Amino acid sequence: MNKTVKVDSKSIEGIIYVAFLLGYLLQTSYLPTQFRSIRVIMISCYCVGYLFCAFKLLTFKYTAKCFVLTLIFVLTGIATLISNKSIDYIIASTMLNFLLVTICVKSISLEKIIRIDLIAKISFTLILVILCCCNVVKNVMTTRISGAVRYSMGFAHPNRFGAMLFLIVLYLAYVRREKLNLKDIFFQLFIFVVTYKLTDSRSSELGIAIVIIFTVLSLLHKRRKSKNFSKTQRYIIVIVAISMIAAMFYLAANYDSNNSKMSILNMLFNSRLELGGLTLKYYKPSLFGAGIQTYAWEDVLSQGMSHALVGSDILYLYIYLNYGIISLFIYLYVIVVAIIYAAKNDKWGCLSLIIILMVSCMENQYLPVASNVFVLYFGMYLKNPRMKRIQVGANND
């Protein structure tokens, strides 16, 4: 008897997300640098993701609009990969990975994805810290001008460790959004102190601080049952988000060290504006990126190279220069759609996305979907383009 095997679309999407998540986790650590076999495993994870993305794209039933968007995303992703072929493949493929995951993962419950993601991040972080304490994995240490020593605890850089702690706090707050209490605030404060003492990652500290503020506000207004924003509020949120991104471009492009107000802003942003201005002047923009090779601060200072070679830590400038003008416009389109969709269906999801966008003004790590799961609201839009209100949660699958 011949049996036909029915492939579950949600299972395929789950495999896609987990494959890219595992690749991302290994990429954030020092493991691939220290052990060649781990780098092979990391690349294999991404390759599995590509295979299932291809299967999903070839078997999906498209509307005309969805087909055009998918074609644009795939071609843009491939173009950025080709344009950046002169640098490390893992870095060159970041935009391609982002575009593939956002168009392929659209049916599975966001709640389930975040729970799986959170378990993976917590487990990986604990294992990596233990391996680091046992001297199995290198602990990358850097020193600030002030003399503060920063520890990576097995991650590729202290900022990577800080970003992971921030995402754990943010995702956990989202999962517990209906049950937040004083214990959550104490936990968030504890992680804030750990982040400050070990990594001194100011962008991550900012992100955790904002999560704490929103948690406190949530407890103070616990009786309010509204789970979404009004139409007017949605417009305001989108305008604020786009204005914030535009402001980072303007401030970086017009940075003047002789301007006292700009100098203060630059200090608050930990020299991000100054470095952003240098990179904008040093590199020429292109449609799909130009294979920009960045260097660590220590190498730039020791070899007397231009500070612009450090690259921009502002995510939006980073996308603009490293992956091109078209990639930036697509990214902004994805973000705007995700914000509107989240604001209409899931207030906490929308706020979480905005928090990541704020932190991205100081840190360029949040392009991979595994570092900003809330962009998957764009995929939900592709499945439900009329943006009808849906129930977001464990049962939405």
Side-chain angles (χ1 to χ4, degrees), residues 85-304:
K85 61 183 179 181
S86 60
I87 62 175
D88 182 75
Y89 159 77
I90 299 300
I91 304 300
S93 63
T94 303
M95 178 55 70
L96 172 64
N97 298 347
F98 170 82
L99 296 172
L100 286 176
V101 178
T102 53
I103 58 174
C104 287
V105 181
K106 56 175 79 73
S107 301
I108 192 170
S109 165
L110 184 68
E111 181 92 12
K112 286 187 175 181
I113 289 180
I114 293 178
R115 288 180 181 275
I116 293 171
D117 188 296
L118 184 59
I119 292 172
K121 282 184 169 65
I122 293 175
S123 302
F124 183 78
T125 300
L126 290 174
I127 292 172
L128 201 59
V129 170
I130 292 172
L131 291 175
C132 179
C133 292
C134 295
N135 295 319
V136 176
V137 185
K138 182 179 179 180
N139 184 11
V140 179
M141 293 183 288
T142 62
T143 306
R144 289 197 185 278
I145 298 176
S146 61
V149 180
R150 311 171 65 203
Y151 305 92
S152 74
M153 302 304 295
F155 286 88
H157 189 276
N159 281 350
R160 293 279 189 176
F161 183 28
M164 191 63 66
L165 293 175
F166 158 61
L167 290 174
I168 288 173
V169 169
L170 180 65
Y171 287 12
L172 187 60
Y174 177 84
V175 169
R176 290 185 49 78
R177 61 195 180 281
E178 303 293 339
K179 304 175 183 178
L180 289 170
N181 53 43
L182 287 176
K183 291 181 181 179
D184 293 283
I185 295 178
F186 287 130
F187 173 76
Q188 292 165 3
L189 288 170
F190 170 73
I191 298 298
F192 180 89
V193 173
V194 171
T195 304
Y196 171 73
K197 290 291 185 181
L198 292 180
T199 74
D200 194 24
S201 174
R202 295 168 188 175
S203 58
S204 300
E205 292 161 16
L206 171 64
I208 296 173
I210 297 174
V211 175
I212 293 173
I213 292 172
F214 277 121
T215 302
V216 172
L217 292 176
S218 175
L219 293 179
L220 293 176
H221 301 87
K222 207 165 187 178
R223 292 182 179 179
R224 294 187 179 182
K225 298 298 183 180
S226 176
K227 295 183 179 181
N228 49 67
F229 292 103
S230 67
K231 187 175 182 179
T232 302
Q233 289 173 328
R234 293 198 294 270
Y235 281 126
I236 293 174
I237 291 171
V238 171
I239 291 172
V240 169
I242 295 299
S243 298
M244 177 179 65
I245 295 171
M248 296 309 298
F249 271 94
Y250 176 81
L251 292 171
N254 296 278
Y255 177 73
D256 181 4
S257 59
N258 295 320
N259 186 313
S260 58
K261 293 181 180 179
M262 280 197 170
S263 295
I264 293 173
L265 279 174
N266 187 52
M267 180 180 67
L268 292 175
F269 281 95
N270 197 25
S271 299
R272 261 52 171 186
L273 299 180
E274 181 181 4
L275 284 174
L278 288 174
T279 55
L280 285 173
K281 293 175 182 177
Y282 192 88
Y283 296 107
K284 293 182 180 180
S286 59
L287 290 178
F288 302 106
I292 295 176
Q293 178 68 55
T294 57
Y295 298 85
W297 255 118
E298 295 77 11
D299 297 330
V300 169
L301 295 176
S302 63
Q303 299 179 35

Side-chain angles (χ1 to χ4, degrees), residues 324-372:
I325 299 170
I326 294 179
S327 296
L328 176 64
F329 278 111
I330 291 177
Y331 176 82
L332 294 178
Y333 172 66
V334 170
I335 289 299
V336 169
V337 171
I339 289 175
I340 296 174
Y341 201 95
K344 193 170 184 178
N345 296 281
D346 181 13
K347 182 179 288 186
W348 262 100
C350 180
L351 292 174
S352 299
L353 178 54
I354 295 298
I355 292 173
I356 293 178
L357 294 180
M358 293 173 68
V359 175
S360 296
C361 290
M362 298 176 62
E363 189 58 67
N364 63 19
Q365 297 185 47
Y366 300 100
L367 177 57
V369 175
S371 65
N372 186 2

